[in-house]
Amino acid sequence: MIRFLAISLLATVVLTSCSLKTTEGLRQVPFTKIEVENPYFSNAEIDYVYKAKIEVYGKNFGGILIIKKIAAESHRVVFTTEFGSKLFDFQFEDDTFTKNFVVEELDKNFIINILKDDFKLLVNEKTKILEVYESENQRIYKTHNDERFNFYFINAGTGQLQKIVNTSKTKEKMEIDFMSSDGKIADTIAIKHSNIKLTIDLEKFKNE
C-alpha cells in the first residue's frame, strides 16, 4: 500500500512538473476548423509601421519598424533608426529566411536566430490546428512549430487574436501579446522571452 501511494505521488509530481501553465485549467474540445489565422499583417496594400523598442542583453535599440507583405507568402521586415539608418532588413518567403542587412551590434548568430523565429511567428498568417481548448472567454488553438508548439488565444466574443505563446513540451518559451481596436491591425505588440534577455515592444505609428 505504501509503495503504491509512493508511486502515485511520484507520478503526480512528474505530471505536474511537465504540464504547461498555458493549458492549465482549460478544457479540451472537439473542432472542425483546420487552420487558425493571424490577420494582423495579411494586407498587401498596407505598410505596417510601428515605433519600436528592442532590448537585447542590456542593449537598447529604438526606431521605426516597417512590415510589408510583398507576395502571397512573403513579408519584408525593416528596422531603422528615427533618422533612417537601417538596423536590420529581413525577408521571409515561405520557409526561406533572407538576411538582407544587420547592423554589426546585432549581427550575432544567436540574436539573428531569435529575431528570425520571433518575426516569422509574428507574420505567419495561417497554421494547421492540432488541438483546441476553451476557457470562459477564449478559444485556444494549439499548433505545431518544428520541435515546439504555438498556442493562439482568440477572444470568444470578438474573434480577435490576443496572444500567441510558444512552448516546448513542458515550458513556455516566448509570448506575443496583441492589442487591437479593430481586429485587423495590431495597435500594440509586446514580445517577451522567458529565458532570453530579449524583448520587443511595438506601437502603431500615428501620423500627427
Side-chain angles (χ1 to χ4, degrees):
M1 181 67 177
I2 294 175
R3 184 182 178 186
F4 173 77
L5 289 174
I7 292 172
S8 297
L9 179 60
L10 178 61
T12 301
V13 170
V14 170
L15 288 172
T16 302
S17 63
C18 292
S19 63
L20 285 169
K21 290 182 180 179
T22 299
T23 54
E24 198 172 82
L26 301 178
R27 59 183 180 275
Q28 191 171 347
V29 295
F31 64 97
T32 56
K33 189 175 179 178
I34 298 174
E35 295 178 319
V36 61
E37 298 181 8
N38 173 3
Y40 294 132
F41 301 100
S42 61
N43 191 337
E45 297 181 0
I46 296 176
D47 291 339
Y48 299 91
V49 184
Y50 290 85
K51 292 182 180 179
K53 294 179 181 178
I54 298 179
E55 183 176 349
V56 184
Y57 286 91
K59 292 184 178 181
N60 294 285
F61 301 87
I64 306 298
L65 185 84
I66 303 169
I67 299 176
K68 177 71 174 176
K69 181 176 180 178
I70 56 179
E73 301 292 334
S74 181
H75 288 80
R76 186 107 173 251
V77 179
V78 179
F79 183 35
T80 72
T81 67
E82 292 185 357
F83 300 102
S85 298
K86 196 178 290 187
L87 295 170
F88 62 68
D89 181 348
F90 300 149
Q91 187 164 327
F92 299 86
E93 188 170 2
D94 293 323
D95 292 326
T96 301
F97 168 73
T98 303
K99 181 181 73 173
N100 295 318
F101 175 84
V102 181
V103 72
E104 186 177 354
E105 287 180 277
L106 291 171
D107 198 10
K108 310 289 190 296
N109 284 337
F110 77 99
I111 293 176
I112 298 300
N113 286 334
I114 297 168
L115 292 174
K116 177 189 72 174
D117 291 343
D118 285 359
F119 285 108
K120 181 180 179 181
L121 178 56
L122 186 64
V123 302
N124 186 40
E125 294 180 33
K126 296 180 181 180
T127 186
K128 290 183 179 180
I129 297 167
L130 295 177
E131 297 172 352
V132 179
Y133 298 84
E134 280 187 351
S135 68
E136 185 175 343
N137 54 14
Q138 289 178 317
R139 285 181 70 87
I140 298 91
Y141 297 89
K142 180 181 179 181
T143 70
H144 196 260
N145 183 0
D146 295 328
E147 296 180 357
R148 294 187 183 182
F149 302 95
N150 293 322
F151 291 83
Y152 289 73
F153 287 70
I154 309 293
N155 184 289
T158 65
Q160 290 186 14
L161 173 63
Q162 297 179 316
K163 179 169 64 176
I164 303 174
V165 179
N166 176 259
T167 78
S168 66
K169 291 182 179 179
T170 58
K171 292 183 180 180
E172 287 74 15
K173 297 295 185 179
M174 185 268 278
E175 182 175 311
I176 305 177
D177 291 291
F178 302 95
M179 291 289 292
S180 175
S181 56
D182 62 5
K184 298 177 182 179
I185 299 176
D187 298 311
T188 63
I189 301 169
I191 301 175
K192 54 189 176 182
H193 292 259
S194 59
N195 58 346
I196 298 170
K197 295 179 180 179
L198 191 153
T199 60
I200 301 173
D201 291 294
L202 306 176
E203 182 180 354
K204 187 175 72 172
F205 191 84
K206 298 175 183 178
N207 293 323
E208 300 296 338

